[in-house]
Amino acid sequence: MNQYKFKTNIKCGGCIAAVKPHLDSNVKIKEWKVDTENPEKILTVTGELSEEEVRSLVEKAGYKAEVAP
């Protein structure tokens, strides 16, 4: 199982609600969360998919995601 962290522009509960259907509908994702308290708005995703697949899902929802160091 892989775990990735991304810096995003997902800022609030409304943003999370917008991205939720995209991430929840992917059966390869076991768990995800966004730390909106972190200045870099870190999205953590655990599952059996690639970084590119996660980035694509977030971008389809209208948000940006770049791999966090």
Side-chain angles (χ1 to χ4, degrees):
M1 184 134 352
N2 302 314
Q3 184 176 70
Y4 303 112
K5 292 185 182 283
F6 297 87
K7 292 190 273 184
T8 71
N9 61 342
I10 299 170
K11 300 175 187 162
C12 65
C15 298
I16 291 170
V19 83
K20 182 176 174 42
H22 296 272
L23 297 176
D24 284 352
S25 67
N26 189 300
V27 296
K28 294 181 182 179
I29 294 176
K30 302 298 179 209
E31 179 180 44
W32 67 272
K33 64 181 176 180
V34 180
D35 181 359
T36 56
E37 299 297 314
N38 185 307
E40 294 184 329
K41 312 302 182 205
I42 300 296
L43 165 66
T44 304
V45 178
T46 304
E48 299 293 333
L49 67 172
S50 69
E51 289 177 347
E52 185 55 42
E53 287 175 295
V54 176
R55 189 176 15 248
S56 177
L57 289 168
V58 173
E59 288 174 359
K60 283 181 185 174
Y63 295 91
K64 296 179 185 175
E66 75 178 63
V67 177

